[in-house]
Amino acid sequence: MRKTDTYLLVAALAAMVAMGAQSQLTFSPPKLSDAPEDMRDVVQRGYNIVHETHKYAPDRVGNKLDCTNCHFDAGMIKDTLSLVGVAAVFPKINPVVKKPVDLATMTNLCFMRYLNAKPLPTDGSDMTAILAYYQWISKGVPVYAKVPWLGLAPIKSEHKPEAQAGSKVFAQCMPCPGQNGQGLLPSGAPPLWGEGAFPAGPGMGQENVLTAFVHRFMPKGNADLTTTQALDVAAFVLSHPRPQMEHVPGKM
Ligand code: HEC
């Protein structure tokens, strides 16, 4: 074998090993209590804010939602919009603005769009704590790896959503979302429409995103809706009025 051929072979093998290693990425976030001693309280505070935003950052909320209502268990589990590994994959191109966005900006988008709150100062202690939390729970995830549990792939379906049919699906979701979408906090869902719900706008306020969320994660802990049911129930939820966004993200 010529020397260049050998190099090529070695390179090909190395690439295959690298690909294999990536597909074997295992979900194993470290314990918060194992964070470096001098950062442990900061990491814990970040977790607390994401997990119980109303309790730990009462002046940062704008409706009834906490981050954990969509990122269950503060994103520490796989079966949710997980946050484990996010620090390894940001900054990344945001599909809406088609520009790279960093994690502080992304986090503020969630504060504005979903908690109907003001964006946090990016150099303040609350944002720093949240970023430290992401950083710690991303330990072991290679930078810019393809992390299989992150993201929310859109649902592909020809079905035209029917809100009327969705009301029947919704009736099976009781008691968590409440008969009138008012929710059942603290143990059940947050308000799904009306006062205290996430505001109208891009993201969860759009049928495709809400459908994907419902299909993957609802009912919580036992997601079993068909794509048709998910499309219909998302249309039903979004057919109700919801608050306007108080702090609209500016140009990024
Ligand atoms: C109503 C549901 C909802 C709430 C509440 C919510 N988020 Fe999100 N979050 C989403 C959705 C949906 C996405 C996917 C991207 C998007 O919306 O553009 C996301 C994406 C993210 C991402 C990027 C994840 C990735 O894999 O790219 C971070 C980080 C994040 N949210 C943090 C937060 C924090 C912190 C809070 C609390 C202030 C919060 N979110 C509240 C729905 C929510």
Side-chain angles (χ1 to χ4, degrees), residues 49-50 53 60 63 65-71 81-83 86 89-90 92 94-96 103 106-115 120 130 134 149-152 190 198 202-204 209 213:
I49 294 174
V50 178
T53 323
R60 302 291 189 202
N63 58 20
L65 276 78
D66 289 341
C67 311
T68 211
N69 290 132
C70 298
H71 305 279
L81 283 171
S82 184
L83 297 173
V86 281
V89 301
F90 274 81
K92 72 173 188 192
N94 181 289
V96 180
L103 262 181
M106 184 68 224
T107 299
N108 271 337
L109 280 177
C110 277
F111 270 102
M112 288 185 274
R113 282 196 204 151
Y114 301 138
L115 268 59
L120 269 54
I130 295 173
Y134 297 151
W149 56 84
L150 289 182
L152 195 58
F198 65 82
M204 293 288 268
V209 178
F213 182 87

Side-chain angles (χ1 to χ4, degrees), residues 1-16:
M1 203 185 279
R2 279 182 305 146
K3 215 169 175 186
T4 41
D5 290 347
T6 317
Y7 284 145
L8 283 175
L9 187 66
V10 170
L13 282 173
M16 278 161 70

Side-chain angles (χ1 to χ4, degrees), residues 151-180:
L152 195 58
I155 299 291
K156 292 197 179 77
S157 168
E158 297 292 300
H159 176 71
K160 207 170 157 296
E162 290 168 32
Q164 191 64 34
S167 73
K168 298 203 180 71
V169 182
F170 189 74
Q172 299 169 25
C173 309
M174 294 307 131
C176 286
Q179 299 287 350
N180 301 311

